[in-house]
């Protein structure tokens, strides 16, 4: 029995997913593909051959499987311009807490500035109707550790009304 509780909402829609090679992103990718979306993925290489993205083979079934770094704002705008997504799910991040202690600058650049680059690409791409910014359960006020500060910075960008007005239409 085939049940589509979304009444074909995603069918034929161009949906861009950042971080589609990661755990949550790959499952979202599979789900959107099954719902008939034209899925465009932007991410770095999967971590290993045992990742869900690789094992599922979903990369071979989609409109575009692009390797790019969200820290490159101009590249993000070029990808958005080329593929003209209608819906954007942003999941790309440096997700590992322990690694964030070893590479705090790269973590900040990826998780905060990368998200700002995606917001800016959304802002300048007329085809985008909605952007869904996915963050983490670790987004809490933790002033003692870089991870908490980085995640709170992203949260502040996404929820601060004047900043959102500048970045979004």
């Amino acid at each position: 029995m085939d049940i589509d509780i979304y009444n074909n909402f995603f069918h034929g829609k161009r949906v861009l997913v950042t971080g589609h090679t990661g755990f949550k992103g790959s499952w979202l990718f599979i789900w959107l593909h099954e719902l008939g979306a034209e899925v465009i993925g932007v991410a770095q290489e999967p971590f290993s051959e045992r990742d869900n993205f690789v094992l599922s083979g979903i990369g071979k079934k989609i409109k575009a499987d692009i390797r790019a770094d969200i820290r490159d704002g101009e590249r993000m705008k070029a990808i958005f311009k080329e593929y003209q997504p209608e819906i954007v799910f942003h999941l790309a991040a440096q997700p590992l807490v322990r690694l964030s202690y070893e590479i705090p600058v790269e973590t900040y650049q990826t998780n905060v500035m990368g998200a700002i680059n995606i917001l800016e690409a959304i802002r300048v791409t007329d085809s985008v109707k909605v952007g869904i910014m996915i963050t983490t359960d670790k987004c809490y006020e933790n002033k003692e550790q870089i991870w908490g500060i980085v995640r709170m910075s992203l949260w502040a960008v996404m929820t601060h009304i004047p900043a959102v007005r500048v970045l979004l239409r």
Side-chain angles (χ1 to χ4, degrees):
M1 180 195 274
D2 188 26
I3 299 174
D4 180 3
I5 62 172
Y6 300 102
N7 296 320
N8 285 319
F9 175 81
F10 288 100
H11 187 77
K13 296 257 186 355
R14 289 180 313 279
V15 181
L16 187 142
V17 178
T18 68
H20 73 290
T21 59
F23 179 74
K24 289 185 284 187
S26 63
W27 282 110
L28 176 61
F29 224 56
I30 291 167
W31 177 72
L32 290 167
H33 175 72
E34 289 297 315
L35 291 173
E38 293 180 27
V39 191
I40 301 112
V42 178
Q44 294 188 357
E45 290 291 334
F47 184 70
S48 79
E49 293 299 311
R50 297 185 51 162
D51 285 352
N52 185 53
F53 177 82
V54 176
L55 295 175
S56 71
I58 192 69
K60 299 175 183 130
K61 303 174 186 174
I62 59 172
K63 182 171 182 83
D65 178 18
I66 302 164
R67 294 294 171 266
D69 190 327
I70 62 170
R71 294 175 293 177
D72 184 344
E74 293 307 309
R75 177 90 192 276
M76 292 305 104
K77 286 190 254 183
I79 291 167
F80 277 59
K81 183 177 181 180
E82 178 178 352
Y83 290 96
Q84 293 293 302
E86 298 168 83
I87 301 168
V88 176
F89 286 91
H90 172 58
L91 288 88
Q94 189 299 97
L96 305 174
V97 175
R98 287 187 181 154
L99 184 59
S100 73
Y101 302 138
E102 296 171 26
I103 56 167
V105 173
E106 184 177 335
T107 298
Y108 189 89
Q109 290 170 339
T110 300
N111 294 358
V112 178
M113 294 309 300
I116 289 172
N117 289 337
I118 297 304
L119 286 168
E120 177 63 7
I122 289 169
R123 187 185 72 80
V124 301
T125 307
D126 289 335
S127 63
V128 178
K129 305 301 180 221
V130 65
I132 298 97
M133 308 296 283
I134 309 297
T135 186
T136 177
D137 62 333
K138 292 155 191 73
C139 192
Y140 51 86
E141 192 169 1
N142 179 344
K143 297 175 183 174
E144 294 78 34
Q145 299 172 338
I146 187 71
W147 183 256
I149 293 167
V150 168
R151 290 314 220 173
M152 285 305 295
S153 297
L154 175 55
W155 184 252
V157 167
M158 293 187 325
T159 59
H160 189 287
I161 299 300
V164 172
R165 285 188 185 138
V166 169
L167 293 171
L168 302 176
R169 299 183 221 117

